[in-house]
């Protein structure tokens, strides 16, 4: 059999180690991995001498703003940023306009994404009090999972109260899909923000004061209990505090299907950076005091935190640099800088490159039901590949990035380790650091998703069974 492409002389990284090998690709899939002499003949060969070959990163947390906020980002600019960042698959959040809350809106987003994406993607459906009824049409329309906002953030999606959250989990449990959680306690934040505003506090520190660590640990603890009761699968987004690790680990030990992620900004930035980039660094949950960093690193490396993602949240400069913190849009871009930042940590000896592949590709593929089609470079896997130069030094300049948002706290940061080429299903989307190929190559991954069978618990107490019984 003739391969379409054979990549020679690279170092192929898996969660188990690094091997010097060639990789053959045919029809968008990995055909073989092994010695160069064992490779089939190929239409094209590519020399990866000195480079590492990784499964492309799967970023399960991005905001591409389309439809709704074209000045911040759209599917074309967002997926271009991903491609240049070595990211081959993203999951897009539902806080667009309109929010991804029913089948019709979801279908419209699918059409936009299919026409503009450079890389593969999944779409989240919004789960909240108002979408319990639309869950079946969201499932039919093709989602990767649900997003539930326990706390308010950009987009002002109403947070369900505890009663509604329980009902949301009951309904989600029966679908088997995972629910990603913005786990911050809304009542505490609302009350504190009101008080702080009345007291005239409006700087970066006031934002942190409105969202102290307890806001996160309370929400994670509550969500873990509701997931344990219902059997819902949950994913704690953007872990930012040391305190959240205890309920996360305890729930895992009890067998709750709970997973977690953190983002580079919680590992590498702290309140020490507030004075340097006020407003620009504003994000929910906030970048916190330095003492949170080491416990989060530890949890990432010991596997308590499963995933490194970005919460890529682009905004315009004007929206990030207002004097009053309560009017600043929270979040900043990250999908393009995650891999260089984390490879820098690999170079610093924080973790191995195999650890990095586990948290950036293998684990997200596993927990979202895409493994080994995605997240692996095994025969039969999609040939989604990041080819990186671990020795390459680079300075992040926001002005040079693909994202439409040219403002982040990473501007001027030195990194060591850079994706040089990216392939999605065997096709180059970045070559020699340049975006290549036409938009519209990306495909939704919902159709290849295979989650384990749902495990519904306490079904006899669910709202659905009670109302059915009394009907
Ligand atoms: O800072 C944030 N920005 N946190 C979120 O949860 C949402 C995001 C956004 O959409 O801008
Ligand atoms: Zn987010």
């Amino acid at each position: 059999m003739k391969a379409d492409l054979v990549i020679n002389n690279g170092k192929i990284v898996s969660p188990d180690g690094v091997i010097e090998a060639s990789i053959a690709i045919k029809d968008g899939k990995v055909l073989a991995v092994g010695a160069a002499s064992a490779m089939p003949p190929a239409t094209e060969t590519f020399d990866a001498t000195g480079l590492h070959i990784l499964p492309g990163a799967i970023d399960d947390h991005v905001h591409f703003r389309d439809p709704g906020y074209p000045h911040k980002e759209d599917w074309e600019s967002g997926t271009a940023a991903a491609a240049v960042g070595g990211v081959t698959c993203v999951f897009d959040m539902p806080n667009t306009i309109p929010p991804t809350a029913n089948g019709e809106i979801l279908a419209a987003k699918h059409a936009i994404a299919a026409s503009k994406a450079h890389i593969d993607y999944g779409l989240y459906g919004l789960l909240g009090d108002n979408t319990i009824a639309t869950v079946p049409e969201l499932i039919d329309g093709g989602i990767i999972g649900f997003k539930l906002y326990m706390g308010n953030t950009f987009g002002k999606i109403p947070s369900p109260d505890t009663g509604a959250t329980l009902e949301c989990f009951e309904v989600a449990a029966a679908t088997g899909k995972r629910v990603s959680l913005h786990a911050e306690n809304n009542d505490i934040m609302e009350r504190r923000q009101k008080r702080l505003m009345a007291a005239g506090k409006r700087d970066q520190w006031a934002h942190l004061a409105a969202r102290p660590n307890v806001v996160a640990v309370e929400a994670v603890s509550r969500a873990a209990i509701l997931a344990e009761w219902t059997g819902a699968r949950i994913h704690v987004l953007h872990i930012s505090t040391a305190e959240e690790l205890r309920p996360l680990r305890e729930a895992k030990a009890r067998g709750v299907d709970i997973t977690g992620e953190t983002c580079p900004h919680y590992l590498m930035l702290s309140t020490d950076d507030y004075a340097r980039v006020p407003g620009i660094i504003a994000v929910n949950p906030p970048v916190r005091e330095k003492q949170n960093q080491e416990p989060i690193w530890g949890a990432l490396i010991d596997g308590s935190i499963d995933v490194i993602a970005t919460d890529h949240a682009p905004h315009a400069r004007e929206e990030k640099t207002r004097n009053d913190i309560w009017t600043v849009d929270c979040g900043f871009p990250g999908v393009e800088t995650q891999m260089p930042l984390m490879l820098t940590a690999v170079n610093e000896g924080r973790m191995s490159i195999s650890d990095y592949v586990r948290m950036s590709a293998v684990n997200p593929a596993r927990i979202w039901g895409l493994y080994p089609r995605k997240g692996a470079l095994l025969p039969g896997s999609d040939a989604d590949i990041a080819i990186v130069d671990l020795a390459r030094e680079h300075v992040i300049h926001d002005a040079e990035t693909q994202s439409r948002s040219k403002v982040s706290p990473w501007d001027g940061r030195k990194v060591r380790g850079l994706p040089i080429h990216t392939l999605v299903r065997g096709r180059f989307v970045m070559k020699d650091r340049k975006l290549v190929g036409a938009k519209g190559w990306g495909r939704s991954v919902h159709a290849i998703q295979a989650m384990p069978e749902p495990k519904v618990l306490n079904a006899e107490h669910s709202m659905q069974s009670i109302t059915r019984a009394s009907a």
Side-chain angles (χ1 to χ4, degrees):
M1 195 189 289
K2 196 169 182 193
D4 299 327
L5 172 69
V6 171
I7 304 172
N8 291 311
N9 304 319
K11 296 185 179 67
I12 300 183
V13 184
S14 77
D16 305 316
V18 181
I19 54 166
E20 293 196 18
S22 296
I23 180 165
I25 296 163
K26 184 172 178 62
D27 296 334
K29 292 188 189 300
V30 176
L31 181 63
V33 178
S37 58
M39 288 296 109
T43 310
E44 195 190 334
T45 58
F46 190 82
D47 182 20
T49 300
L51 305 177
H52 284 74
I53 298 176
L54 283 54
I58 299 172
D59 189 340
D60 70 13
H61 188 169
V62 305
H63 300 264
F64 282 171
R65 311 292 191 210
D66 192 0
Y69 307 92
H71 68 290
K72 294 179 192 277
E73 199 78 290
D74 72 5
W75 272 94
E76 187 175 357
S77 59
T79 56
V84 172
V87 177
T88 52
C89 186
V90 293
F91 301 167
D92 182 60
M93 287 294 172
N95 60 335
T96 34
I97 308 177
T100 319
N102 66 37
E104 193 182 329
I105 296 166
L106 175 64
K109 194 187 254 194
H110 268 301
I112 296 169
S115 70
K116 297 189 193 171
H118 290 277
I119 63 149
D120 287 352
Y121 52 86
L123 303 182
Y124 279 104
L126 180 67
L127 186 60
D129 210 349
N130 301 324
T131 74
I132 291 171
T134 56
V135 161
E137 56 192 78
L138 289 169
I139 296 286
D140 288 348
I143 54 170
I144 193 74
F146 296 102
K147 167 73 177 279
L148 186 145
Y149 287 89
M150 298 178 80
N152 211 281
T153 182
F154 178 75
K156 297 210 168 58
I157 308 259
S159 323
D161 63 22
T162 308
T165 303
L166 176 62
E167 202 170 324
C168 287
F169 279 22
E170 290 169 354
V171 172
T175 72
K177 300 270 184 195
R178 194 170 292 280
V179 185
S180 278
L181 298 171
H182 185 108
E184 291 191 291
N185 177 303
N186 205 53
D187 295 347
I188 299 174
M189 297 193 300
E190 263 186 10
R191 182 181 177 92
R192 292 179 76 108
Q193 180 171 337
K194 227 178 276 165
R195 295 274 190 131
L196 287 156
M197 287 173 95
K201 309 251 184 230
R202 50 190 67 254
D203 64 3
Q204 190 62 56
W205 290 92
H207 181 250
L208 180 66
R211 314 174 96 101
N213 290 23
V214 66
V215 154
V217 67
E218 190 281 338
V220 172
S221 304
R222 179 161 36 103
I225 288 168
L226 300 181
E228 186 167 25
W229 178 261
T230 55
R233 300 191 166 111
I234 59 171
H235 178 67
V236 181
L237 299 164
H238 42 45
I239 290 172
S240 63
T241 72
E243 286 86 350
E244 284 162 276
L245 302 172
R246 185 177 57 79
L248 175 70
R249 288 180 169 131
E250 288 178 357
K252 282 189 171 194
R254 297 199 303 275
V256 180
D257 193 339
I258 183 172
T259 55
E261 82 181 30
T262 192
C263 313
H265 44 278
Y266 303 115
L267 297 165
M268 302 179 196
L269 300 174
S270 73
T271 49
D272 296 356
D273 296 286
Y274 277 17
R276 181 175 60 84
V277 275
I280 291 171
I281 202 170
V283 59
N284 296 323
V287 165
R288 298 186 180 280
E289 298 87 345
K290 211 173 182 74
Q291 64 262 29
N292 293 283
Q293 289 180 347
E294 281 310 313
I296 297 173
W297 272 114
L300 188 61
I301 289 160
D302 76 20
S304 306
I305 295 178
D306 305 82
V307 170
I308 186 83
T310 69
D311 195 2
H312 177 84
H315 298 289
R317 179 169 297 275
E318 181 275 321
E319 297 162 335
K320 292 295 296 170
T321 52
R322 297 169 184 148
N323 280 331
D324 180 345
I325 195 67
W326 309 115
T327 65
V328 168
D329 284 351
C330 285
F332 43 79
V335 74
E336 192 167 342
T337 46
Q338 176 270 115
M339 192 174 286
L341 289 165
M342 296 306 288
L343 292 179
T344 304
V346 168
N347 272 316
E348 287 166 351
R350 271 271 171 198
M351 60 188 175
S352 72
I353 192 154
S354 290
D355 289 333
Y356 172 65
V357 158
R358 180 166 40 80
M359 59 187 74
S360 62
V362 179
N363 285 350
R366 281 190 192 281
I367 71 176
W368 295 101
L370 300 174
Y371 191 86
R373 176 81 180 261
K374 302 281 188 193
L377 297 177
L378 298 168
S381 299
D382 283 357
D384 295 346
I385 299 174
I387 304 179
V388 312
D389 184 350
L390 270 184
R392 179 87 157 256
E393 296 188 348
H394 176 79
V395 179
I396 296 170
H397 291 299
D398 289 338
E400 294 167 5
T401 59
Q402 299 288 324
S403 174
R404 213 159 272 171
S405 166
K406 305 292 186 200
V407 55
S408 90
W410 304 114
D411 191 47
R413 184 134 181 149
K414 288 198 183 92
V415 291
R416 184 155 193 263
L418 205 60
I420 309 296
H421 319 285
T422 309
L423 294 91
V424 172
R425 283 173 284 108
R427 190 190 276 193
F428 282 92
V429 294
M430 173 173 74
K431 207 171 203 174
D432 294 319
R433 297 284 305 147
K434 299 241 162 14
L435 187 72
V436 293
K439 65 177 183 175
W441 173 242
R443 285 288 163 268
S444 176
V445 297
H446 72 271
I448 62 171
Q449 184 188 37
M451 294 297 281
E453 280 302 299
K455 270 197 207 137
V456 182
L457 299 173
N458 290 302
E460 69 277 22
H461 299 295
S462 77
M463 273 320 290
Q464 275 208 318
S465 63
I466 291 164
T467 47
R468 206 184 301 127
S470 61

